[in-house]
Amino acid sequence: MQTNYYFLRQLSKRLEEELVGLVFAECFSQEKDELVLGFCTDGKQWRKKRDFYIKAVLHPDFACLNFPDDFRRAGRNSVDLFKEINGLRVERIQQFFNERAFALHFENNFTLLFKMYGNRSNIVLFEGDEVLDLFHNKLVVDNNLSLQTLDRPIDQSFEAFVAANGQLNVLFPTFGKEIVKLIQGKIKALEQPTLEQQWAIVQEILNQLEASQFYIKTIDYQPVLSMVQEGGELVKTLTDPILASNELYYSFAKINVFDKEKGQSIRHLQKQISRTQTYIDKSYTQLSSLEEDVKHEEIANIIMANLHAIPERTEVIELYDFYRDKPIKVRLKPDLTPQKNAENYYRKAKNEKIEIQKLMENIEAKEALMQELQGHISKVEAIESLRELRKYIKNNVIEQTDKQVLTVQDLFKYVNYQGWEILIGKNSRNNDLLTQRYARKEDLWLHARDVSGSHVVIRRQAGKKFPVNVIEKAAGIAAYYSKRRNDTLCPVIVTPKKYVRKTKDLIEGQVIVDKEEVVLIEPSL
């Protein structure tokens, strides 16, 4: 939580006691992603030792502020930064409302912004409201920052909580994952909690966040700074945010290689377990929906039992449902006879069974993977040497679990229609990924003609032809996810993927189609 808004709010208040009135003496970097700022009383700039140091550690995987008593600058490989504010006095410190950022305001309208956004953390120098310089120049979007827009006043009253139906992210977007998970766990422990009860839990946690209690804990062999008592193994409790930040930094620096790699492996496995569980939950929901809906076979039987009562060219008709002893509305294709419509529903019923079978097979495979991942965690936790750990990771390909768990459902929009898999690109880069890496040459490729839009792929099934109704479904999707979404009819290219190619001169998402058929279809999902 060292970059959490509630911690930074207390830290910036504490820094105001230390820094206001001091002058900016120096700023340099001698390690990648690390910056040291020195402050002293006016007239003492000649001294090598500063009165106050801030060491900003802004690594992609770890960002925190450290406040050493002394710092020895290296004689070489050291670069001076933010020279424009050398010798200027700190006038005040501003913590931005509901934002993980605070600013040091100097004389002559200069401001140094500490933007603590996790792996996008940066330090930005302003003159007025104009960005002068960045510590991390690679974060080019920070050139567009404005100090005037960083404050985020939010109504966090009970009335606003009720209006948001208890959604934490609406009122408290700065809570962070740890706090949200803790609150949600407490709410789930109650039986049918009311909004009043949920609000009481939120207030209980807010009281902890307002208190000057900081906990250094160990979670998955890694030190963490927390402002709540629950969770992890407690190492130390502190009441000064500067000392708490220092303790976290020194604890992190002291982690040995074995604990670091062990912790990374366990967190990696836990992430895969979470993803796999999400996939299983979604699959069970889809399975439940299929089982609860009126079966296509039942609709076909109802049509066959009422052939004599169905007029020609009927699109929708109400028939007696003898399965449930009540009327049911049945959709028909007006250009087909009632008997042919029944045959269509029988064919859909067959595909429905295939879809259910595939879902059950996928769930079974993912549940087996869950057990395997949990077994890996138990074995990794029991390992006591670095050599044994690395051997186990290599032999069990743990670091490649991401590739095994990351499915097409994770990468692309996904539709399973009558047992056929339809994959849809999310954007230009994702379109290239779908067409160039995941689509097989005999898959069917679709795209709205002459306009930008999603690439759509129907996965081929061995020994089967692509059904017309499946092609129409995918074509409707391709039309919907294109610039022609609002047209009455949209021309859609349909071709085997082997006729789609990309040359080096084409931008993301662009391809060349060597052979195509075009169908006119209404955009729909």
Side-chain angles (χ1 to χ4, degrees):
M1 288 185 69
Q2 71 275 12
T3 60
N4 183 279
Y5 164 67
Y6 294 93
F7 177 73
L8 292 176
R9 188 169 62 176
Q10 298 212 36
L11 178 63
S12 59
K13 185 178 179 181
R14 179 71 177 82
L15 287 175
E16 192 164 32
E17 299 172 12
E18 298 286 345
L19 288 176
V20 171
L22 297 183
V23 299
F24 190 86
E26 63 179 337
C27 177
F28 59 90
S29 177
Q30 58 191 36
E31 297 286 346
K32 186 182 178 184
D33 300 327
E34 293 185 9
L35 186 68
V36 178
L37 304 92
F39 301 82
C40 66
T41 54
D42 199 6
K44 301 291 185 181
Q45 290 91 326
W46 56 269
R47 292 172 52 191
K48 286 188 177 180
K49 187 178 186 303
R50 307 304 179 187
D51 294 300
F52 196 83
Y53 288 97
I54 300 177
K55 181 180 180 182
V57 180
L58 308 180
H59 296 286
D61 59 343
F62 179 72
C64 89
L65 299 177
N66 170 231
F67 309 93
D69 292 330
D70 195 3
F71 195 91
R72 299 291 181 90
R73 181 172 182 175
R76 54 182 181 176
N77 298 326
S78 181
V79 180
D80 288 302
L81 298 169
F82 304 141
K83 297 177 185 177
E84 294 89 342
I85 54 175
N86 279 351
L88 295 185
R89 190 185 309 275
V90 179
E91 294 184 329
R92 65 186 178 94
I93 293 180
Q94 177 185 5
Q95 172 66 56
F96 295 97
F97 294 125
N98 294 304
E99 191 58 89
R100 293 176 294 166
F102 64 90
L104 277 57
H105 291 279
F106 294 87
E107 300 172 295
N108 300 343
N109 208 22
F110 285 96
T111 303
L112 200 59
L113 175 71
F114 287 73
K115 189 193 78 158
M116 305 302 291
Y117 286 13
N119 61 4
R120 294 180 294 114
S121 295
N122 204 357
I123 297 179
V124 185
L125 178 63
F126 287 82
E127 183 175 11
D129 198 41
E130 181 183 350
V131 174
L132 283 187
D133 200 5
L134 311 174
F135 172 53
H136 275 321
N137 288 308
K138 61 186 177 183
L139 298 174
V140 291
V141 69
D142 287 351
N143 284 298
N144 301 319
L145 286 172
S146 169
L147 294 172
Q148 307 302 319
T149 59
L150 285 174
D151 274 326
R152 293 195 294 170
I154 300 173
D155 181 0
Q156 296 177 332
S157 64
F158 176 65
E159 291 74 20
F161 186 72
V162 172
N165 198 29
Q167 295 181 63
L168 294 173
N169 62 318
V170 176
L171 266 68
F172 303 98
T174 55
F175 266 168
K177 292 180 181 178
E178 179 190 2
I179 301 300
V180 170
K181 187 176 179 181
L182 176 61
I183 292 174
Q184 289 176 341
K186 287 177 174 287
I187 291 173
K188 284 181 181 178
L190 300 175
E191 188 175 341
Q192 296 183 336
T194 63
L195 284 173
E196 287 79 5
Q197 289 173 312
Q198 294 178 40
W199 181 249
I201 291 171
V202 171
Q203 294 306 301
E204 175 196 338
I205 299 301
L206 278 172
N207 287 336
Q208 288 193 53
L209 296 176
E210 297 290 347
S212 294
Q213 293 285 331
F214 311 102
Y215 307 97
I216 303 298
K217 304 175 184 178
T218 300
I219 299 178
D220 296 335
Y221 302 91
Q222 305 294 299
V224 297
L225 188 156
S226 178
M227 296 177 71
V228 292
Q229 296 177 348
E230 293 90 338
E233 180 184 341
L234 182 62
V235 176
K236 187 177 288 189
T237 302
L238 302 109
T239 57
D240 186 326
I242 288 179
L243 296 180
S245 195
N246 284 348
E247 186 65 34
L248 174 70
Y249 173 74
Y250 295 132
S251 297
F252 192 85
K254 286 188 291 187
I255 299 175
N256 59 46
V257 175
F258 171 66
D259 283 343
K260 188 173 183 180
E261 291 193 16
K262 190 172 186 177
Q264 286 173 343
S265 298
I266 290 173
R267 287 195 304 278
H268 179 85
L269 289 165
Q270 288 172 336
K271 187 175 181 181
Q272 306 320 309
I273 286 174
S274 177
R275 280 184 179 176
T276 307
Q277 187 61 57
T278 299
Y279 177 89
I280 291 171
D281 292 342
K282 285 182 179 178
S283 297
Y284 271 122
T285 301
Q286 191 176 350
L287 189 62
S288 176
S289 176
L290 285 169
E291 290 175 344
E292 288 174 4
D293 290 344
V294 178
K295 302 289 188 295
H296 287 117
E297 185 176 1
E298 294 174 352
I299 295 174
N301 290 337
I302 291 168
I303 293 173
M304 291 300 292
N306 291 275
L307 287 176
H308 62 285
I310 303 174
E312 290 185 5
R313 309 196 68 78
T314 301
E315 288 191 29
V316 180
I317 189 168
E318 193 174 87
L319 300 174
Y320 173 66
D321 181 355
F322 47 80
Y323 290 99
R324 296 161 190 82
D325 192 24
K326 63 179 183 180
I328 183 175
K329 285 187 177 179
V330 177
R331 287 192 170 276
L332 303 171
K333 290 192 174 182
D335 54 333
L336 299 179
T337 65
Q339 190 165 351
K340 285 290 184 184
N341 271 294
E343 288 176 11
N344 274 347
Y345 275 105
Y346 281 126
R347 187 174 65 253
K348 288 179 181 179
K350 185 178 178 181
N351 291 330
E352 192 175 60
K353 289 176 182 176
I354 294 171
E355 186 176 355
I356 290 172
Q357 183 182 349
K358 283 196 170 185
L359 275 172
M360 293 178 69
E361 288 173 358
N362 289 343
I363 289 171
E364 187 178 346
K366 293 297 182 184
E367 287 177 339
L369 177 60
M370 280 278 284
Q371 290 184 350
E372 181 184 341
L373 292 169
Q374 287 164 347
H376 282 318
I377 286 181
S378 298
K379 288 176 182 176
V380 168
E381 285 178 335
I383 292 173
E384 296 183 353
S385 74
L386 181 61
R387 184 175 180 182
E388 185 184 355
L389 174 68
R390 287 178 173 172
K391 182 179 179 182
Y392 186 84
I393 289 171
K394 183 179 179 181
N395 290 344
N396 292 278
V397 206
I398 287 176
E399 296 304 322
Q400 295 180 17
T401 310
D402 272 334
K403 295 180 182 178
Q404 296 170 351
V405 175
L406 204 60
T407 63
V408 290
Q409 289 94 325
D410 299 313
L411 291 168
F412 313 106
K413 293 187 181 78
Y414 175 84
V415 174
N416 190 310
Y417 183 70
Q418 298 181 5
W420 291 79
E421 291 184 314
I422 302 173
L423 309 179
I424 306 110
K426 297 177 180 178
N427 51 47
S428 296
R429 180 174 292 183
N430 198 242
N431 281 339
D432 278 347
L433 182 68
L434 172 58
T435 300
Q436 303 305 316
R437 291 186 55 188
Y438 280 83
R440 309 178 189 107
K441 65 179 183 178
E442 296 302 330
D443 290 344
L444 207 58
W445 186 89
L446 302 93
H447 192 282
R449 201 170 196 275
D450 297 330
V451 292
S452 60
S454 292
H455 295 193
V456 176
V457 169
I458 308 174
R459 281 283 176 86
R460 174 180 174 270
Q461 294 184 14
K464 294 183 180 180
K465 292 183 178 180
F466 293 99
V468 172
N469 57 333
V470 175
I471 295 173
E472 289 175 349
K473 175 69 174 178
I477 292 171
Y480 183 84
Y481 287 114
S482 79
K483 293 287 187 181
R484 295 186 185 271
R485 175 187 290 197
N486 297 317
D487 290 3
T488 304
L489 290 174
C490 170
V492 175
I493 297 170
V494 182
T495 187
K497 190 271 168 185
K498 62 185 177 182
Y499 297 122
V500 181
R501 59 190 174 89
K502 186 178 184 74
T503 55
K504 291 182 179 180
D505 59 309
L506 297 178
I507 63 172
E508 286 183 345
Q510 283 190 341
V511 292
I512 296 171
V513 181
D514 293 324
K515 183 178 178 182
E516 66 180 51
E517 292 183 9
V518 175
V519 298
L520 282 172
I521 199 79
E522 180 183 351
S524 63
L525 289 178

